[in-house]
Amino acid sequence: MTTAAHATAQDLLALSPVVPVVVVDDAEHAVPLAQALLRGGIGVIELTLRTPAALEAIERVAAEVPEIVIGAGTVTAPEHAAAAAKAGAAFLVTPGCTDRVLGAVEDTGLPFLPGAATVSEAMRLAERGLTALKFFPAEAAGGADYLKSIGGPLPGLRFCPTGGITVDTAPRYLALPNVGCVGGSWLAPKDALLSGDYARIESLARAAAALR
């Protein structure tokens, strides 16, 4: 089995049909959230760097729930990459790409999914040898039809579409040969986190793990 330490970007696409994309406002929620996802059969989580609690949340999950592969999402500045790696992130995800961000992410040595929303962006990343990409914002940028249409001219690329995807629309993406997994924010609703309803999160995870 491939471990997080030896994973490649392509391996990330095979960890789960759905990668939970989570915003944590309170680091105290991170460990019970990760445990609930694991109980539901989801072994990976993308914790976004959108709140002041994010890095501490990553650190706690990495230390206390080593069975789950914890990644840092919304890496939009070079300093984010190093900070996330230091906190214990096993992979990184960017919503888009600049040369400085790409360089910083590559410097960590961690596997990563760079974001692309257009054919030109995807081709530019492919020129750098990057073939596992994040497609963001998926629904707003053309959805499953868009990814299906670029599969012919860009057969060597595979994607994790994220952004606006729901449990009902996910199967349409997952049926595409150039999609390895989808990112989903529906697995960790804010109201469930605030109320401590981890049984609901476990149930959502179980349904997501069964998708294909």
Side-chain angles (χ1 to χ4, degrees), residues 49-101:
L49 302 181
R50 299 184 187 182
T51 68
L55 287 174
E56 182 183 349
I58 290 171
E59 191 171 354
R60 290 192 181 196
V61 172
E64 300 180 44
V65 196
E67 303 93 336
I68 203 163
V69 182
I70 177 74
T74 319
V75 175
T76 58
E79 59 269 22
H80 291 168
K86 184 178 180 181
F91 66 93
L92 305 173
V93 184
T94 73
C97 286
T98 66
D99 289 335
R100 291 182 66 231
V101 169

Side-chain angles (χ1 to χ4, degrees), residues 39-208:
R39 289 194 300 271
I42 298 289
V44 59
I45 179 172
E46 177 190 330
L47 208 154
T48 64
L49 302 181
R50 299 184 187 182
T51 68
L55 287 174
E56 182 183 349
I58 290 171
E59 191 171 354
R60 290 192 181 196
V61 172
E64 300 180 44
V65 196
E67 303 93 336
I68 203 163
V69 182
I70 177 74
T74 319
V75 175
T76 58
E79 59 269 22
H80 291 168
K86 184 178 180 181
F91 66 93
L92 305 173
V93 184
T94 73
C97 286
T98 66
D99 289 335
R100 291 182 66 231
V101 169
L102 270 179
V105 168
E106 289 172 334
D107 285 346
T108 68
L110 295 175
F112 64 96
L113 297 175
T118 68
V119 171
S120 292
E121 290 169 352
M123 288 174 63
R124 181 171 175 269
L125 291 167
E127 284 182 353
R128 295 179 66 126
L130 304 171
T131 58
L133 313 179
K134 173 175 179 170
F135 176 55
F136 177 85
E139 286 290 284
D145 286 340
Y146 183 90
L147 282 178
K148 181 178 181 180
S149 69
I150 68 174
L154 302 176
L157 301 183
R158 298 184 76 230
F159 297 87
C160 172
T162 303
I165 298 173
T166 68
V167 65
D168 295 318
T169 60
R172 189 152 178 256
Y173 285 93
L174 292 169
L176 299 175
N178 60 344
V179 169
C181 61
V182 301
S185 58
W186 78 85
L187 280 79
K190 182 167 284 192
D191 60 337
L193 286 174
L194 291 175
S195 65
D197 189 356
Y198 296 107
R200 179 183 169 199
I201 292 173
E202 179 183 343
S203 178
L204 291 169
R206 187 168 288 109

